[in-house]
Amino acid sequence: MGRRRKRSRPRLVPKRKLPTVFQCPACGATAVSVSVLKGKEKKVIVTCANCGLRGEYEYNQYLHPVDYFSRFLDDYEAGKLTVISKQGDENNAENEG
C-alpha cells in the first residue's frame, strides 16, 4: 500500500521595507532623517544630524520619505539647500578663537 504524498510548505519570503535613515550628500554620514509634521502647516523636514544640512517641503499624502529624500538630493545638487550650524559648534568656535 502506498503512502499519501506530503504537501510542501510554502516558503516565507520576507517583505522588503523602505529605508528610514539615509546617507548625506554633503558629509557622507548615514544621518539624514525625514520628519513629517502634520500640524496646521503640513510640511516635511529633511535634516542631516551630522552636518546640519536641511530642506523643507510641502506634505503630500501620496509620497513616502524616500521620495522626499530624492527631492532633497536634487535640491542639494542644484545648490538650493543651506547648512544650519548647531549651537554647540558655535559655542566651541567662540571659546577656541
Side-chain angles (χ1 to χ4, degrees):
M1 303 273 257
R3 292 185 177 176
R4 290 189 179 200
R5 187 171 177 184
K6 289 185 179 181
R7 283 190 188 176
S8 62
R9 291 186 181 175
R11 292 187 182 188
L12 297 176
V13 179
K15 289 189 176 182
R16 299 181 97 187
K17 296 180 182 177
L18 294 173
T20 56
V21 179
F22 306 95
Q23 186 174 5
C24 180
C27 65
T30 307
V32 176
S33 62
V34 179
S35 304
V36 179
L37 304 175
K38 296 181 184 178
K40 244 183 185 178
E41 297 178 17
K42 295 183 179 180
K43 62 182 177 178
V44 177
I45 300 174
V46 183
T47 56
C48 176
N50 190 30
C51 66
L53 190 64
R54 178 183 174 145
E56 290 188 18
Y57 305 97
E58 289 184 23
Y59 175 72
N60 185 345
Q61 66 183 17
Y62 300 111
L63 297 178
H64 295 284
V66 176
D67 301 322
Y68 292 110
F69 179 70
S70 64
R71 287 185 181 183
F72 177 75
L73 286 178
D74 293 341
D75 288 348
Y76 175 76
E77 292 175 358
K80 298 178 183 177
L81 297 179
T82 58
V83 176
I84 299 174
S85 61
K86 299 176 187 175
Q87 292 179 352
D89 293 341
E90 293 174 0
N91 293 339
N92 291 337
E94 292 174 3
N95 293 338
E96 291 175 2

